[in-house]
Amino acid sequence: MSDEEYENTSNTSKTSKKGDDAFAKAKSGIKQSELNEQLKEYIGEWRNQRAKEEEELKRLKDKQAKRKEIRAEQDKKLAAEKKQEEDRLKKEAAEKKAAEEEKKKAEMLEAEIKRQEMMAAQKEKGGSKQSAPALDARKEMSKTKEQVEEEMKISLSIRIKPLALDQMDSDELRNKANQIWNTILSLETDKYDYEQRHMNQDYEFKELNERQKIQLRNKAVKKGLDPESFTGSHPPKIRMFSKYERRTDTRTYGDRKKLYEGGCEVMRSELLESLWKDKLNEFSKRPKARLPKWFGVRPGKKAGDPETPEGGEEEAEAPAEEEYDEEEEEEEEE
């Protein structure tokens, strides 16, 4: 190709390149406008969707706030109802307790009236003062401390009546003081009698316990046990001897343990020792034959050892046997 032809082709290529660039720019402008329009549409849709979501969120928040208000009102109503129920139960319990106290007070009042009438009848007859009727001990012991204190308060409120001191003159006050003094004297006398009775009962209990201990000691001696075996808080220990033996086993645990040592184990070890000695004697008395030559060489012969003569095999065996017997004896001694 000549230089002129090359210049012509280069000129035509330059013009075609310029046209391509213009076409690409026009095409890119069209695509850019389309992309801008699509982007505007997407942004508009996103804004609409976001507005809908915000409205939905606001609606849910309002709904949640209303539910909270309704729930708070319901809780308040339930709390008020619960409080009313508790107040009603407390009131019923208080009324029931007051009715029981009134009933118990009436019963104790009747019992007190009967007791006073009985005492008045005894005084008229001139008889000696008797003890009060025995109560149910199990019922009295099952009462709690609060019940006892409550009954004591009710009894004192019945027995001790308030004094109308403003309406009494000097003679009535003096008579009332003398009456109270006499009551105190009688109560102190009863207290002293009860204390003496309690002391006598304690002495009787101690005497009965001593008698029981003496009986238990005699029972233990008859059975061949220690006298204090049955008197303790625990049962007697089990002894390792027959109940028909007259002499008790006073040996210690170590001494009794040695009784069971040995026996079959000792006999077995002695038997094994005798068997081992018999086998050892049989082994020591075994015939000691030399190995035959293999291709003119004695097996086990080391380099440098003198050759064994053909006829002197039996003569050479004797000193070897003596050396072997001496080695066995040395091993046994060790």
Side-chain angles (χ1 to χ4, degrees), residues 37-78:
E37 290 177 359
Q38 289 180 359
L39 185 61
K40 285 179 182 179
E41 290 177 0
Y42 291 153
I43 291 170
E45 290 179 0
W46 177 78
R47 285 177 179 174
N48 294 332
Q49 188 70 21
R50 183 64 184 270
K52 289 179 182 179
E53 290 178 356
E54 288 178 354
E55 289 177 0
E56 184 70 17
L57 184 64
K58 187 177 180 182
R59 186 179 65 79
L60 292 173
K61 284 183 178 180
D62 294 340
K63 190 176 180 181
Q64 186 179 11
K66 288 179 181 179
R67 283 184 179 178
K68 283 184 179 179
E69 291 177 359
I70 294 168
R71 186 63 181 270
E73 291 178 0
Q74 290 178 352
D75 291 341
K76 190 175 181 181
K77 188 176 180 181
L78 288 173

Side-chain angles (χ1 to χ4, degrees), residues 154-319:
I154 294 170
S155 178
L156 290 175
S157 64
I158 293 169
R159 295 184 182 183
I160 301 171
K161 295 178 181 179
L163 297 174
L165 299 176
D166 297 335
Q167 299 176 3
M168 293 182 181
D169 56 2
S170 59
D171 295 333
E172 290 177 351
L173 288 172
R174 190 178 294 108
N175 293 331
K176 195 65 179 177
N178 291 329
Q179 184 182 355
I180 293 170
W181 175 253
N182 294 328
T183 305
I184 291 170
L185 285 178
S186 63
L187 293 174
E188 288 293 332
T189 306
D190 294 340
K191 180 182 176 182
Y192 178 77
D193 293 338
Y194 290 140
E195 287 177 353
Q196 291 297 323
R197 184 180 175 186
H198 183 66
M199 290 171 64
N200 293 333
Q201 286 177 352
D202 288 341
Y203 178 76
E204 289 174 0
F205 281 132
K206 289 179 182 179
E207 189 175 356
L208 290 173
N209 287 330
E210 290 297 328
R211 288 182 185 177
Q212 187 180 14
K213 284 183 180 180
I214 291 168
Q215 291 177 359
L216 293 173
R217 288 193 188 100
N218 294 332
K219 185 178 179 182
V221 170
K222 285 180 182 178
K223 290 188 175 184
L225 301 174
D226 186 42
E228 301 296 330
S229 297
F230 295 142
T231 57
S233 58
H234 302 285
K237 294 181 180 179
I238 298 173
R239 300 288 184 179
M240 295 178 63
F241 60 90
S242 174
K243 65 179 182 179
Y244 299 105
E245 290 183 4
R246 294 182 179 274
R247 182 177 175 276
T248 58
D249 190 2
T250 57
R251 291 172 293 185
T252 61
Y253 177 73
D255 296 338
R256 290 199 298 270
K257 187 179 178 183
K258 289 178 182 178
L259 294 175
Y260 303 101
E261 292 179 354
C264 294
E265 293 294 332
V266 175
M267 293 172 65
R268 182 172 174 274
S269 62
E270 290 176 355
L271 179 62
L272 293 174
E273 187 72 22
S274 63
L275 291 173
W276 184 80
K277 287 181 179 179
D278 293 341
K279 295 290 183 183
L280 184 61
N281 292 330
E282 289 178 4
F283 180 76
S284 61
K285 291 176 182 178
R286 76 190 188 284
K288 300 178 181 64
R290 284 183 174 276
L291 294 171
K293 286 187 178 182
W294 187 258
F295 294 102
V297 180
R298 182 78 64 187
K301 183 182 178 182
K302 296 180 181 178
D305 293 342
E307 293 185 2
T308 307
E310 293 295 334
E313 290 181 1
E314 296 178 357
E315 294 176 0
E317 285 178 1

